[in-house]
């Protein structure tokens, strides 16, 4: 069991409060403040009045003990139900507060307009097979790649499977991991007709409670797709399509990089790109591969900092970094705990019907 009960109030005080506080009283902010503190009471207050807020993720999978404090259990259960429309089986006060804030924030990676609410300049976002991105602008740019005109990324179900690590009531940080199934469908401009990739997406996150209308500020999000999923994604483009796209961007938008590479024409450039593997190590896209250049070539017309990243020869960008030349081969175990990885695989295989590759044919 990954979450443990912490006693909230002395037993005598519990019984006294149980008589004093009725269901109607729990909207009283002074009572909430005494029980939970100002920041948490503000979150609960919003939750209790949030009938208009419903997240579309109904199912929460937890292994948690019941809170035996009747007052706190009543308040938190009512608040959780107001947000998720789903009764929480019970957890420590801080764990439940984390769920409430997560629900109020309605966190979904595809809602990019909300990133200034959820992220700050210190937030890190890491996909082990692709690299690390820090700050609102970098994270926004990276995630936007999954919603570029070549892709259509959607959830396949309304269910979100959620795990919490042990969150003690004196902790400043919430830890939530969720798993859901997503599907990438591709347009026919760069991909063969009816191409798609289906598999679980997971992220392990750490965030702080804000106590205001933003609800959460993320410290980190570690994103997970299986390496087999990443490999299928990188193998999807038409032969020659990425090379043509990247070389077009290099010549038109990255003239200095084009000159440094000493290409005489598009044919030379495309032959050089086409000679690269789609990805490295069976799905890594942070090294000398076509897909790394495809990604950065998508950013480059709007952000010239990415121009050196599509070069066939190593070139430093304005921050002194060299990308798309050598993969770091980061392992999932470097970013995820064994508990988190076990949870991802358990849900993917036993709830979503995947085998160990964590990828399915789109018509399954």
């Amino acid at each position: 069991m990954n979450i443990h009960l912490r006693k909230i109030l002395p037993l005598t005080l519990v019984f006294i409060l149980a008589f004093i506080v009725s269901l109607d009283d729990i909207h009283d902010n002074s009572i909430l403040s005494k029980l939970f503190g100002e920041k948490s009471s503000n979150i609960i207050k919003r939750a209790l009045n949030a009938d208009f807020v419903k997240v579309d993720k109904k199912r929460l999978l937890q292994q948690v003990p019941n809170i035996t404090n009747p007052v706190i259990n009543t308040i938190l259960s009512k608040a959780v139900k107001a947000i998720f429309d789903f009764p929480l089986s019970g957890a420590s006060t801080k764990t439940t507060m984390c769920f409430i804030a997560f629900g109020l924030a309605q966190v979904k990676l595809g809602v990019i307009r909300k990133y200034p609410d959820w992220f700050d300049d210190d937030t890190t976002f890491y996909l082990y097979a692709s690299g690390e991105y820090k700050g609102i602008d970098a994270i926004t740019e990276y995630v936007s790649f999954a919603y570029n005109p070549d892709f259509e990324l959607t959830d396949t179900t309304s269910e979100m499977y959620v795990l919490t690590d042990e969150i003690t009531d004196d902790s400043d940080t919430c830890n939530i991991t969720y798993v859901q199934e997503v599907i990438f469908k591709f347009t026919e401009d760069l991909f063969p007709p009816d191409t798609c990739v289906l598999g679980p997406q997971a992220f392990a996150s750490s965030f702080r409670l804000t106590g205001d209308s933003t609800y959460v500020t993320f410290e980190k999000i570690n994103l997970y797709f299986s390496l087999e999923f990443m490999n299928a994604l990188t193998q999807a483009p038409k032969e020659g399509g990425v090379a043509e796209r990247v070389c077009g961007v290099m010549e038109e938008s990255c003239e200095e990089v084009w000159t440094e590479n000493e290409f005489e024409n598009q044919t030379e450039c495309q032959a050089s790109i086409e000679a690269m593997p789609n990805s490295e190590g069976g799905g890594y896209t942070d090294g000398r591969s076509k897909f790394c250049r495809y990604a950065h070539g998508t950013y480059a017309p709007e952000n010239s900092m990415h121009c050196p990243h599509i070069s066939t020869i190593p070139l430093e960008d304005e921050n002194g970094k060299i990308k798309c030349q050598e993969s770091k081969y980061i392992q999932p175990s470097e970013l995820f705990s064994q508990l988190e990885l076990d949870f991802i695989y358990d849900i993917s295989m036993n709830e979503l019907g995947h085998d160990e590759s964590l990828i399915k044919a789109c018509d399954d």
Side-chain angles (χ1 to χ4, degrees), residues 88-137:
L88 196 65
S89 60
S92 71
T93 303
K94 184 57 180 285
T95 299
T96 309
M97 289 304 310
C98 292
F99 270 109
I100 291 171
F102 191 82
L104 281 170
Q106 300 190 79
V107 177
K108 293 183 69 175
L109 289 182
V111 187
I112 295 173
R113 60 182 173 78
K114 297 287 287 183
Y115 283 12
D117 289 345
W118 302 332
F119 305 149
D120 61 23
D121 290 339
D122 293 321
T123 304
T124 60
F125 186 97
Y126 211 135
L127 174 57
Y128 70 96
S130 297
E132 182 181 26
Y133 302 84
K134 184 176 182 179
I136 297 173
D137 291 342

Side-chain angles (χ1 to χ4, degrees), residues 185-242:
K185 294 182 179 179
F186 305 101
T187 65
E188 295 183 16
D189 182 32
L190 189 62
F191 300 86
D194 301 319
T195 303
C196 64
V197 181
L198 173 67
Q201 174 197 68
F203 78 54
S205 66
S206 296
F207 58 88
R208 304 183 304 275
L209 304 181
T210 64
D212 59 27
S213 60
T214 64
Y215 307 110
V216 299
T217 297
F218 283 91
E219 296 175 352
K220 70 172 183 179
I221 293 179
N222 292 332
L223 184 64
Y224 183 88
F225 292 103
S226 72
L227 198 57
E228 290 84 353
F229 183 98
M230 292 296 298
N231 189 52
L233 183 67
T234 63
Q235 302 300 319
K238 298 175 183 176
E239 183 177 355
V242 169

Side-chain angles (χ1 to χ4, degrees), residues 64-353:
V64 294
N66 290 323
I67 295 176
T68 56
N69 180 322
V71 178
I72 292 178
N73 188 56
T74 297
I75 294 172
L76 294 182
S77 294
K78 187 175 178 66
V80 170
K81 194 173 189 304
I83 299 305
F84 291 102
D85 197 25
F86 191 89
L88 196 65
S89 60
S92 71
T93 303
K94 184 57 180 285
T95 299
T96 309
M97 289 304 310
C98 292
F99 270 109
I100 291 171
F102 191 82
L104 281 170
Q106 300 190 79
V107 177
K108 293 183 69 175
L109 289 182
V111 187
I112 295 173
R113 60 182 173 78
K114 297 287 287 183
Y115 283 12
D117 289 345
W118 302 332
F119 305 149
D120 61 23
D121 290 339
D122 293 321
T123 304
T124 60
F125 186 97
Y126 211 135
L127 174 57
Y128 70 96
S130 297
E132 182 181 26
Y133 302 84
K134 184 176 182 179
I136 297 173
D137 291 342
I139 295 171
T140 298
E141 184 179 61
Y142 176 69
V143 177
S144 295
F145 172 69
Y147 297 91
N148 79 63
D150 293 327
F151 296 151
E152 179 186 343
L153 173 61
T154 57
D155 304 343
T156 62
T157 71
S158 63
E159 292 185 342
M160 175 190 288
Y161 300 86
V162 180
L163 170 77
T164 62
D165 202 350
E166 181 175 354
I167 305 171
T168 59
D169 290 326
D170 58 356
S171 173
D172 293 329
T173 304
C174 299
N175 301 308
I176 284 183
T177 300
Y178 84 65
V179 182
Q180 65 183 129
E181 193 172 58
V182 297
I183 183 170
F184 276 96
K185 294 182 179 179
F186 305 101
T187 65
E188 295 183 16
D189 182 32
L190 189 62
F191 300 86
D194 301 319
T195 303
C196 64
V197 181
L198 173 67
Q201 174 197 68
F203 78 54
S205 66
S206 296
F207 58 88
R208 304 183 304 275
L209 304 181
T210 64
D212 59 27
S213 60
T214 64
Y215 307 110
V216 299
T217 297
F218 283 91
E219 296 175 352
K220 70 172 183 179
I221 293 179
N222 292 332
L223 184 64
Y224 183 88
F225 292 103
S226 72
L227 198 57
E228 290 84 353
F229 183 98
M230 292 296 298
N231 189 52
L233 183 67
T234 63
Q235 302 300 319
K238 298 175 183 176
E239 183 177 355
V242 169
E244 182 179 355
R245 174 78 65 84
V246 171
C247 289
V249 170
M250 190 188 301
E251 185 174 21
E252 295 173 13
S253 301
C254 304
E255 295 180 5
E256 291 184 8
V257 172
W258 177 267
T259 300
E260 288 284 346
N261 281 265
E262 299 182 347
F263 292 129
E264 294 291 336
N265 51 52
Q266 280 288 313
T267 301
E268 282 188 10
C269 177
Q270 291 177 31
S272 180
I273 300 292
E274 191 62 28
M276 298 178 185
N278 291 300
S279 60
E280 293 184 300
Y284 283 87
T285 62
D286 59 338
R288 188 174 176 78
S289 64
K290 289 199 284 273
F291 208 85
C292 190
R293 284 162 177 77
Y294 165 48
H296 288 275
T298 302
Y299 311 137
E302 301 296 329
N303 185 352
S304 61
M305 184 188 75
H306 293 279
C307 284
H309 306 158
I310 66 175
S311 173
T312 62
I313 60 174
L315 293 177
E316 289 186 354
D317 62 23
E318 62 188 42
N319 295 319
K321 294 182 178 180
I322 297 175
K323 296 188 176 183
C324 294
Q325 295 294 336
E326 185 176 350
S327 175
K328 293 182 179 179
Y329 291 114
I330 298 295
Q331 299 300 304
S333 59
E334 296 179 55
L335 301 179
F336 297 85
S337 70
Q338 192 59 51
L339 174 67
E340 291 165 344
L341 291 172
D342 288 345
F343 175 74
I344 292 169
Y345 271 82
D346 176 58
I347 295 302
S348 299
M349 297 173 68
N350 296 323
E351 297 290 336
L352 300 177

Side-chain angles (χ1 to χ4, degrees), residues 37-49:
E38 184 175 354
K39 182 182 293 186
S40 294
S41 67
N42 287 340
I43 294 173
I44 293 174
K45 184 79 170 179
R46 292 175 183 275
L48 294 173
N49 294 314

